[in-house]
Every structure is written in structure tokens, then in C-alpha cells.
Amino acid sequence: MSDNTKNSHEKPGDGIRSMKSTTAFRVVNFELYAKPNIVVMSIGAACFGLALGYIAYMRQKYESMGYYSAIDADGKEIFEKKKSKWD
């Protein structure tokens, strides 16, 4: 028998899903065996885009108020009010 008739349940594009593996390997590497879901992917991409948009909005808001980002002595990012040399 040839390989194609022995494993007739395989179809093109299955990739690693068609190989024999242990349950532990499948649990640890779940993303290799899960089929893509366009609904979940689009919701995740929308949430990620909204989070990035909110971060950009907040940064722009603080910069328009006269603040700038600076690094503290501890290594943390802080926002300080811009000061003139004349103050």
C-alpha cells in the first residue's frame, strides 16, 4: 500500500495535525492543532487596535497639555510639565 491510501483521512494543508503525537505535546502546543477562527481573530484584532488607539490618544492628550515623557532615576517613564529656562 502506498502512503496516500494508508492515511486517507489526511488532506492538503493539515500540516503537523496529520502527524502522530502525544496528548501532552498537543496540549502544550495547542496553537499548532487549533483550526483558525476568523470571528475570534477579528475580535482580538479589534480589541488590540482599540488598546493601541487609546494609548496613542492618551499620549497625544498629555503632550498637548504641555507634558513630555521622561525617564526617572529608577528607570520608570514619567510625564513632566515642560518648563521654560526663564521660570
Side-chain angles (χ1 to χ4, degrees), residues 5-57:
T5 58
K6 189 188 331 180
N7 298 325
S8 61
H9 64 280
E10 296 175 8
K11 52 187 173 197
D14 274 349
I16 200 167
R17 281 180 267 181
S18 62
M19 297 175 59
K20 290 188 177 186
S21 61
T22 63
T23 304
F25 183 80
R26 287 180 180 249
V27 169
V28 172
N29 299 300
F30 174 74
E31 68 277 0
L32 296 175
Y33 296 95
K35 295 201 182 232
N37 189 338
I38 193 77
V39 174
V40 173
M41 181 184 65
S42 59
I43 291 171
C47 290
F48 184 70
L50 288 172
L52 287 179
Y54 181 70
I55 290 170
Y57 165 74

Side-chain angles (χ1 to χ4, degrees), residues 3 15 22 27 29 36 47 49 55 69 75-77 79 82 84:
D3 287 337
T22 63
V27 169
N29 299 300
C47 290
I55 290 170
S69 62
K76 296 179 183 176
E77 182 183 20
F79 283 94
K82 290 183 182 176
S84 172

